[in-house]
């Protein structure tokens, strides 16, 4: 089983573990890039590959390689099972929001956004005042050095 684009059936397994769905990052930390096969067995078939392996032209390695069609089928299966799980949760839960609960939920969300905005503004004011204090300290030190220098000179 190989990870080159000439393979007739794609490998979605690496020595580091099975890749399910659309790969986002290789085990080595490199990004995943989309490529198009130029091999005779799989002409113009699209695949995902580790950018590190592509840039170094590695073959038969343990970096991520997966055919796009297989990855998309995995992704559809995963989404289908997730939709079934969510449907089951909705059926099992008989949560009914009355007006007061809904208003409280909306109020809490708005309050959280306002708190975040205030926090960000406070952080910016604090960082600005810290920069100002550093400038004042530098000016104070320079003035002290000048006074000491003039005192020693006189």
């Amino acid at each position: 089983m190989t990870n080159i684009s000439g393979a007739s059936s794609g490998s979605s397994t690496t020595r580091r573990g099975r890749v399910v769905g659309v790969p986002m990052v290789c085990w080595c930390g490199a990004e995943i890039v989309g490529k198009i096969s130029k091999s005779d067995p799989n002409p113009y078939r699209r695949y995902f590959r580790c950018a590190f392996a592509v840039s170094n032209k590695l073959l038969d390695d343990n970096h991520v390689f997966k055919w796009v069609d297989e990855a998309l089928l995995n992704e559809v299966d995963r989404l289908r099972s997730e939709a079934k799980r969510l449907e089951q949760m909705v059926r099992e839960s008989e949560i009914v929001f009355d007006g007061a609960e809904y208003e409280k939920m909306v109020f809490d969300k708005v309050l959280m956004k306002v708190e975040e905005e205030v926090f960000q503004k406070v952080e910016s004011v604090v960082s600005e005042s810290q920069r100002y204090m550093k400038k004042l300290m530098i000016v104070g030190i320079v003035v002290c050095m000048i006074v000491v220098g003039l005192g020693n000179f006189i």
Side-chain angles (χ1 to χ4, degrees), residues 1 7 16 18 26 37 44 48-49 65 71 80 85 109 112 114 116-117 122 132 135 137:
M1 181 161 37
R16 302 285 180 171
R18 180 166 163 70
C26 183
S37 172
Y44 305 108
F48 294 114
R49 187 74 168 117
F65 171 89
R80 187 175 290 138
R85 185 185 68 79
K109 285 184 179 180
M112 185 177 289
V114 168
E116 286 176 10
E117 288 177 9
V122 167
Y132 181 71
K135 289 178 184 177
M137 287 176 57

Side-chain angles (χ1 to χ4, degrees), residues 55-133:
S55 66
N56 292 312
K57 296 185 170 89
L58 300 179
L59 302 175
D60 293 328
D61 58 277
N62 60 351
H63 292 272
V64 171
F65 171 89
K66 188 155 191 178
W67 295 113
V68 169
D69 54 346
E70 291 177 4
L72 294 178
L73 286 174
N74 289 153
E75 206 60 28
V76 167
D77 290 342
R78 186 189 65 77
L79 291 172
R80 187 175 290 138
S81 64
E82 179 69 13
K84 286 180 184 177
R85 185 185 68 79
L86 291 172
E87 286 174 4
Q88 184 66 25
M89 282 177 54
V90 168
R91 275 191 224 113
E92 290 174 358
S93 65
E94 295 293 327
I95 298 175
V96 178
F97 286 108
D98 64 2
E101 287 181 48
Y102 180 73
E103 286 177 8
K104 183 180 182 328
M105 185 177 69
V106 170
F107 176 77
D108 289 343
K109 285 184 179 180
V110 169
L111 182 63
M112 185 177 289
K113 285 183 181 179
V114 168
E115 287 176 351
E116 286 176 10
E117 288 177 9
V118 168
F119 181 71
Q120 288 174 352
K121 288 180 181 178
V122 167
E123 278 186 338
S124 67
V125 167
V126 166
S127 65
E128 186 177 324
S129 55
Q130 285 176 341
R131 285 191 297 264
Y132 181 71
M133 289 300 291

Side-chain angles (χ1 to χ4, degrees), residues 1-11 37 39 41-42 45 65 67:
M1 181 161 37
T2 70
N3 284 348
I4 60 173
S5 60
S8 61
S9 66
S11 169
S37 172
S39 67
N42 296 295
R45 189 174 178 193
F65 171 89
W67 295 113

Side-chain angles (χ1 to χ4, degrees), residues 29-47:
E31 293 181 357
I32 301 298
V33 294
K35 302 294 284 176
I36 298 175
S37 172
K38 295 175 184 153
S39 67
D40 288 334
N42 296 295
Y44 305 108
R45 189 174 178 193
R46 297 176 58 86
Y47 62 95

